[in-house]
Amino acid sequence: MTRLEDKVMYARGVGPRVAELIAAKGIVTAEDLLYHLPFRYEDRQNPRSLDELKPGEMASVIAEVRGSALLRTKRAPIFEITIGQGRLAMKCMWFNGTYLQGKFQAGQTVAVFGRVEPSRSTSNMKMINPQWELLPDASDDAETRLLEVGRITPVYESLGSRLASRWQRKVIFHLLESMHGAVPECLPAAMIERMGLPSRERSLREVHFPPEGTAMTDLQAAATPAHRRLIFEELFFLELGLELKRRRMRERAGVAFETNAKVREAIREVLPFHPTAAQKRALGEIVSDMKQPSPMRRLLQGDVGSGKTIVALQAMLVAMENGYQAALMAPTEILATQHYLAARKLLERSSRKYRIVLLTGSLDEDRKRHNRGLINRGEAHLVIGTHALIEEKVEFDRLGLIVVDEQHRFGVMQRFKLMKKPRPDGTEWAEPDVLVMTATPIPRTLALSLYGDLDLSVLDELPPGRTPIVTRRVADERADEVWEFVRKQVKLGRQAYIVYPVIEGAKDDQPELDFSADATEASEKAAKPAVRKTTPKGKTAKLFPKAVQEASPNAKLGLKSAVQMYEKLRAGPLNGLRLGLLHGRLDADEKEIIMRRFQRGEIDALVSTTVIEVGVDVPNASVMVIEHAERFGLAQMHQLRGRVGRGAARSYCVLMTGARVSEQAEERLNAMVRTQDGFELAELDLAMRGPGEVFGTRQAGLPDFRVANLVRDRKLLEVAKMEAARFVNAKPDRAEGTEAERARVWTRLKEAWQRKYGLVEAG
Ligand code: ADP
Ligand code: MG
């Protein structure tokens, strides 16, 4: 009898050598292997007939091998087999298929799976690079035949050479046999009954070996009851852990801020406009957290331009009015400075004498030391800075609230502890509240699991007086018209951004750049690796973890760059305009000077890389031109577009594209033209790239799931969250599980969290 926690090494068909191989893939126990689900299924109950295939569909076909050939073409060798059913035949071909030579003998039975394509030369169909498996024949053992013929057959991702589907089928089949009736249930019976889900054992059996008649569409969509049960199980334990973390945070000692007439008056004095309903709601949620005696951990999410800054500022006023210091951390020096200037301007109206201090890496040592002193003695009330706040070992006197702007790197959270000054008696001050702001629109349910233990406030409304941004796609050949348009706008008193994916182009002195990754990031890194001392830039780039992969062989040719186009535009199409050039290779102060000049209207058009993408606010800018828009990811383009449309003037976003636009890029560009809704674009981005690509996995605190997929299984995630809260809050009784069942849940939770999720801690 095998148990789930037994080493898979001892399972029939495994052994030490194989065990070592698959351990590298994270499969150590029997349970690990059982939760390694098939990634698709083949219907070998009712194989498709060759004459019913339709072009474009994905199909699996079982047929006899008739012959094979290796065709040498100019480009790549093509391996081809002809398969047949009676008088019908079809060709399957594999590019670079030399390795397949000798694998197929005429007369063998083969199952192929792939996209059906019309054949040019004959009326028959063909498949290109299909997946394939030779089916067992009479000489193979009965068991192999049993598992692969005449049934719905699971297909697994290979775990290594010789550990392909056939091997996994057998090992898993035996494992399940050896555990018959002995797989312990890990959820309370009442819960799975309530949800109408099958038991754990039955689910495991059926996801690997679906019973006859299971709908193929359900299987492929992971929507059978067996799948749903395993997905729910995984999500339930995730949500249960998060629920507990939130609870534990509520038990820690924080500052219980007070709000009274005096505090409200302090806010009223400085507020420059009526907050939107969403801003009011968010502030209400934040302040009600701040009044709690436990530390706040809250995420404020709002599309670009939704007005997060003023909400944060009000929260900081609450802290300051309570006699505490507040700190705001921005990802770049430009942004920190912008926040600093804006805060100073706003607080000038106040009758209170707040002292605002800027602390960034590029300040000179004397100034830094001076500012650190002010912070340490409590003479600075509001501190605005970059990560220098952490790196420069700043100790606050009485830090009550930290606001982190545009922050995805939660590693930083633990380090807030460093910012607390020990009290004379050696004890520590209460933990500060933390508010994180992000403009990355993440669907709510996803946000809740990505940022797990953070509570969430959403600004889902833009301040009034905005006119929608007109977005147009323009091919490179019409660049002249675009520059003419920019000139016209400048004549009207407006300003423009012109953005490029790289700093410098194909000049000889440039290192060869890898454009298959995030073009900008790559180029900026390659160009100036040493300037890491002030750190802000890399942090910005990380907001959009992995850029879109776009392998284009001639990418190196003719990619326009900021530096080169700055010169070109200045000498040609935009001659006479006041142009500025901004990119990551400039020093922090140079960047700042240029940005400030642009803000003051002394620059008409700013030629730039994506360094401007986050948070920069110039309401008078009305045109955003993005060259090589096909190279940008959706999130990035959306962020860039958010730089305009901040004033009342009509704004424009021009997406210029080069010659080669991939299908995916096409879809992104169309989406940009179609909608301005950040949430809609985020959904699309997720659908196109998947959560791992969009957020990065571990980095963004996204756990690796074994069976669940956050995008596909969003509904179940919500259910799991509800069930988790219900479970935590319930007294043990029959409805929520017996004492023994609950104990099992806790045990499993510990295991699962320790071993699997390793979620990033917040605070
Ligand atoms: P983001 O959420 O992108 O950080 P900001 O906080 O920079 O947005 O706000 C964008 C712009 O909208 C700023 O110029 C800000 O002054 C303005 N703004 C914010 N809230 C309001 C409001 N309630 N009414 C009018 N303008 C507002
Ligand atoms: Mg902002």
Side-chain angles (χ1 to χ4, degrees), residues 291-483:
K291 286 158 88 171
Q292 300 297 320
S294 54
M296 167 170 78
R297 292 291 180 271
R298 187 169 279 276
L299 178 70
L300 175 60
Q301 190 193 339
D303 209 345
V304 273
S306 58
K308 295 183 288 294
T309 319
I310 195 76
V311 173
L313 216 97
Q314 293 176 75
M316 295 193 286
L317 274 167
V318 172
M320 291 190 287
E321 281 299 300
N322 276 266
Y324 281 85
Q325 294 169 297
L328 185 135
M329 266 168 67
T332 64
E333 303 229 346
I334 293 183
L335 281 173
T337 311
Q338 179 179 297
H339 279 310
Y340 172 71
L341 295 173
R344 271 215 340 217
K345 198 164 141 207
L346 209 69
L347 296 182
E348 255 168 26
R349 309 146 162 261
S350 171
S351 57
R352 324 286 209 264
K353 295 272 170 284
Y354 302 121
R355 186 151 189 182
I356 311 168
V357 160
L358 179 68
L359 197 107
T360 60
S362 67
L363 294 181
D364 61 51
E365 278 309 319
D366 284 351
R367 169 67 37 196
K368 271 194 226 167
R369 196 170 320 118
H370 177 73
N371 287 356
R372 273 202 304 262
L374 291 176
I375 298 169
N376 188 267
R377 291 190 301 275
E379 287 160 34
H381 305 111
L382 178 54
V383 182
I384 297 177
T386 53
H387 287 80
L389 281 181
I390 291 174
E391 278 139 24
E392 308 273 345
K393 302 205 175 53
V394 182
E395 277 181 354
F396 283 76
D397 183 40
R398 268 163 76 78
L399 182 57
L401 171 67
I402 303 172
V403 178
V404 188
D405 190 14
E406 313 283 5
Q407 179 66 37
H408 266 215
R409 295 188 129 197
F410 278 23
V412 112
M413 289 287 235
Q414 288 105 320
R415 301 173 64 187
F416 287 149
K417 295 196 181 81
L418 300 178
M419 294 164 68
K420 279 180 299 184
K421 173 165 128 180
R423 285 198 286 194
D425 59 5
T427 60
E428 280 187 341
W429 293 104
E431 274 188 71
D433 284 348
V434 177
L435 177 69
V436 178
M437 305 196 280
T438 176
T440 309
I442 308 163
R444 191 179 180 95
T445 46
L446 279 187
L448 285 175
S449 36
L450 284 174
Y451 298 97
D453 36 9
L454 301 190
D455 293 303
L456 180 66
S457 292
V458 180
L459 296 182
D460 50 6
E461 175 186 11
L462 294 183
R466 303 270 170 87
T467 1
I469 302 167
V470 179
T471 303
R472 290 268 186 279
R473 219 187 120 175
V474 178
D476 264 354
E477 297 88 71
R478 295 175 56 194
D480 285 348
E481 293 170 52
V482 174
W483 306 136

Side-chain angles (χ1 to χ4, degrees), residues 84-139:
Q85 292 170 345
R87 286 169 36 229
L88 303 166
M90 177 173 84
K91 289 213 156 116
C92 299
M93 36 188 86
W94 289 267
F95 291 100
N96 289 313
T98 319
Y99 68 98
L100 290 172
Q101 251 183 322
K103 299 234 172 187
F104 299 90
Q105 310 311 318
Q108 284 179 314
T109 310
V110 66
V112 291
F113 173 80
R115 184 182 301 282
V116 178
E117 318 222 3
S119 168
R120 244 179 292 160
S121 48
T122 68
S123 60
N124 293 335
M125 301 292 158
K126 67 179 177 194
M127 280 187 187
I128 294 174
N129 298 337
Q131 309 209 30
W132 61 275
E133 187 170 45
L134 283 171
L135 295 193
D137 55 34
S139 68

Side-chain angles (χ1 to χ4, degrees), residues 38 40-48 60 62 111 133 135-136 142-156 169-170 172-174 176-177 204-214 216 219-220:
R40 66 180 181 87
Y41 299 83
E42 272 185 30
D43 186 0
R44 295 181 187 165
Q45 306 168 105
N46 315 291
R48 302 285 299 276
S60 61
I62 295 176
E133 187 170 45
L135 295 193
E143 190 169 86
T144 303
R145 285 208 303 278
L146 169 81
L147 295 180
E148 295 183 3
V149 182
R151 67 181 306 151
I152 299 173
T153 307
V155 182
Y156 299 89
R169 272 174 217 136
K170 279 201 207 177
I172 289 173
F173 183 77
H174 286 301
L176 286 167
E177 288 287 284
L204 283 172
R205 186 180 316 282
E206 293 187 355
V207 287
H208 291 289
F209 301 104
E212 225 173 293
T214 309
M216 286 305 289
L219 282 169
Q220 310 295 23

Side-chain angles (χ1 to χ4, degrees), residues 552-570:
S552 147
N554 55 357
K556 275 169 276 175
L557 306 175
L559 200 59
K560 289 183 254 181
S561 73
V563 171
Q564 165 209 343
M565 284 305 289
Y566 169 75
E567 298 297 342
K568 231 177 169 170
L569 291 170
R570 200 161 64 151

